[in-house]
Amino acid sequence: MVVAHATASGAYAMAQEAGADVITHVPLDRALEDEAVKRMAADGRIAVPTLTVMEAMSERMDGARLDYGQAHAAVAALHRVGVPVLAGTDADSMPAFVPYGTRLHHEPELLVDAGSTTVDACAPPPRFPPGTSA
């Protein structure tokens, strides 16, 4: 199983093209295109958007034109098409400096705000990419 980190739209496209099973983060630089959202679902990929990191990055790197709204919209779109969206924080990652532990409590709140149910935000049903198992 391959996990890729992608906070920009170009990196997200590369992760999909490379066949990553799990993509961590969502783009902050522009909206996730409908085709990319559909491809995530069709290919059975899993998203770990780390909205706490995306929120912190957009706040701390204001001049970099990073927009948390893009990340929020991406998660809502992924959720609508049935892509499993898992909670994660990528805690203490630079440049966001998200603290360990405490931010994991904030992540489900952000996932629910983006359209997830409270149950799915805390414990989504297991689903594995084609050809893999638990």
Side-chain angles (χ1 to χ4, degrees):
M1 188 170 276
V2 175
V3 178
H5 289 249
T7 60
S9 53
Y12 212 86
M14 288 187 333
Q16 286 191 324
E17 192 61 34
D21 301 298
V22 179
I23 301 180
T24 302
H25 310 304
V26 285
L28 284 170
D29 60 340
R30 66 179 199 208
L32 190 58
E33 296 178 8
D34 288 341
E35 188 59 38
V37 171
K38 291 175 187 173
R39 187 171 179 190
M40 286 286 288
D43 292 347
R45 291 193 170 95
I46 297 168
V48 184
T50 66
L51 288 176
T52 56
V53 171
M54 303 296 95
E55 182 181 59
M57 283 178 66
S58 66
E59 291 169 358
R60 290 190 176 100
M61 299 176 66
D62 188 38
R65 297 183 187 197
L66 303 177
D67 182 2
Y68 175 74
Q70 303 292 4
H72 181 276
V75 173
L78 292 166
H79 180 71
R80 277 193 301 276
V81 299
V83 172
V85 177
L86 305 179
T89 65
D90 217 9
D92 205 39
S93 63
M94 290 183 57
F97 299 109
V98 174
Y100 289 102
T102 58
R103 297 310 282 180
L104 188 54
H105 297 285
H106 185 50
E107 184 75 7
E109 294 171 350
L110 296 175
L111 293 175
V112 168
D113 186 55
S116 181
T117 66
T118 53
V119 171
D120 284 347
C122 293
R127 185 170 143 210
F128 302 95
T132 65
S133 61

